[in-house]
Amino acid sequence: MSTVCHPSQSTIGPPPGHLGQMGEKELLKAYCRSGDTRARDELIMRYLPLVYGVSRRYCQRGEQLEDLVQVGCIGLIKAIDRFDLDRGVALSTYATPNIIGEIKRYFRDKGWAVKVPRGLLELNMQLEQVMGDLAGSLHRSPTIQELAEAVGAAPEEVMEAIEAGRSRSSLSLDHALGPRDGDDERLPLETIGDEEAGFETAEKRLILEPGFAQLNERERRILHQRFFEGLTQSQIAANIGVSQMHVSRLIRRALVKVRAEISKREGKENTVPLEESRDPLQLH
């Protein structure tokens, strides 16, 4: 019958001075069978170098080594608590995958700045290992197709997982990106462009262009003077030699033509006469 560690709170066992002289199996028996928590503490101290060694493999992913060591120690403690004395394997053999698994879970669940689906996280971690192996054997960076074949995934999934890997860490908006022309450093906020008012005007002009194409030369001239140059109806009347009332009718008729053509192109019926006061075109 297997004997798995299910310790009690008892600390009955050999004197503290003798723990350092005991072997691994003796310490495991003292903890698993006698509940001596001092024996577990001794085992943890002995296996800290293993935790450090495993953690160093993953410290290039943007996490501090000491943080990874703390996570790895949780895996070590779980391995000691779950160790089966009757399996006939060394504690290091059982503890190593537990430490690695705990660190990987940390990266999967807490080490990302943006929440990413679990499948992409696991594929991304698998790709990181495969990339190094393939680069060593091919003596060059592997292609997307080669990575896909190595992990048994579609090229699209590989590209998505690589893109997801960029979400692992984030930078503060106060983090300098690099030097500018002077001595100061450029900040992320300085890379965000301002909204260009000209884009909205250009878009409106493209919308109105088909409607203006239906106008004759005098109608286009009147609308240009009214809405682009900002002249009053009286000023326009003086320019073209007609009454102000006639200018008002010409403007209204021209706007109706513009609206009718735009509505036709949009597949809408123009049923509402367009008044100058209601639709000044808003282009100036």
Side-chain angles (χ1 to χ4, degrees):
M1 182 176 179
S2 297
T3 304
V4 181
C5 294
H6 292 293
S8 64
Q9 296 299 319
S10 172
T11 56
I12 299 175
H18 290 270
L19 292 174
Q21 303 172 4
M22 295 173 61
E24 176 184 302
K25 289 186 177 180
E26 293 176 315
L27 289 170
L28 285 169
K29 289 179 181 178
Y31 175 56
C32 295
R33 293 176 177 169
S34 303
D36 190 350
T37 55
R38 295 171 303 172
R40 182 178 69 165
D41 294 340
E42 178 67 23
L43 286 168
I44 293 172
M45 294 302 299
R46 289 189 185 184
Y47 277 90
L48 271 180
L50 174 63
V51 177
Y52 270 93
V54 173
S55 300
R56 286 192 182 95
R57 303 180 198 173
Y58 298 92
C59 64
Q60 302 300 322
R61 298 184 179 182
E63 296 291 330
Q64 297 294 324
L65 176 61
E66 292 300 325
D67 293 337
L68 296 180
V69 168
Q70 291 186 28
V71 175
C73 283
I74 296 174
L76 172 62
I77 293 171
K78 289 180 178 179
I80 295 173
D81 290 344
R82 299 169 182 170
F83 188 73
D84 190 343
L85 287 168
D86 298 327
R87 292 290 296 273
V89 297
L91 177 59
S92 59
T93 303
Y94 182 69
T96 300
N98 279 269
I99 297 170
I100 293 174
E102 199 68 32
I103 293 175
K104 286 185 175 181
R105 278 190 292 274
Y106 171 78
F107 277 111
R108 185 191 67 199
D109 300 333
K110 300 180 181 178
W112 294 69
V114 178
K115 184 66 176 178
V116 177
R118 179 173 179 177
L120 287 179
L121 296 182
E122 294 176 348
L123 181 57
N124 179 267
M125 297 181 70
Q126 187 179 1
L127 286 170
E128 288 183 351
Q129 181 177 356
V130 169
M131 283 180 185
D133 296 339
L134 286 178
S137 60
L138 298 173
H139 303 290
R140 59 173 174 80
S141 298
T143 64
I144 295 296
Q145 185 62 40
E146 289 168 341
L147 289 171
E149 294 174 357
V151 299
E156 294 78 9
E157 294 175 333
V158 171
M159 294 178 65
E160 189 176 5
I162 293 174
E163 184 68 23
R166 300 175 183 175
S167 302
R168 176 173 287 122
S169 58
S170 59
L171 293 177
S172 168
L173 292 177
D174 294 326
H175 180 84
L177 297 176
R180 293 182 295 194
D181 295 337
D183 297 330
D184 297 331
E185 294 184 323
R186 192 161 51 100
L187 301 178
L189 283 176
E190 296 176 352
T191 65
I192 301 175
D194 296 328
E195 183 177 350
E196 294 287 346
F199 287 132
E200 184 177 357
T201 300
E203 183 179 5
K204 289 180 178 179
R205 287 179 175 175
L206 287 175
I207 295 173
L208 293 170
E209 183 178 2
F212 272 73
Q214 303 301 314
L215 304 179
N216 57 43
E217 180 62 30
R218 186 170 71 162
E219 289 171 334
R220 283 197 291 269
R221 181 184 174 190
I222 291 173
L223 291 185
H224 189 277
Q225 291 182 26
R226 179 70 183 94
F227 298 115
F228 289 87
E229 298 180 16
L231 301 183
T232 65
Q233 291 184 5
S234 298
Q235 291 172 324
I236 297 172
N239 289 340
I240 64 176
V242 298
S243 67
Q244 182 269 332
M245 185 64 69
H246 189 51
V247 168
S248 177
R249 287 195 296 268
L250 289 173
I251 291 176
R252 180 181 303 179
R253 186 172 62 186
L255 293 177
V256 169
K257 285 184 180 181
V258 173
R259 171 62 64 83
E261 181 63 24
I262 293 174
S263 298
K264 183 174 68 174
R265 290 176 175 269
E266 294 178 350
K268 301 176 181 178
E269 183 179 358
N270 181 31
T271 58
V272 181
L274 216 156
E275 301 290 342
E276 178 188 350
S277 60
R278 295 174 54 191
D279 192 353
L281 299 184
Q282 299 177 358
L283 290 176
H284 55 282

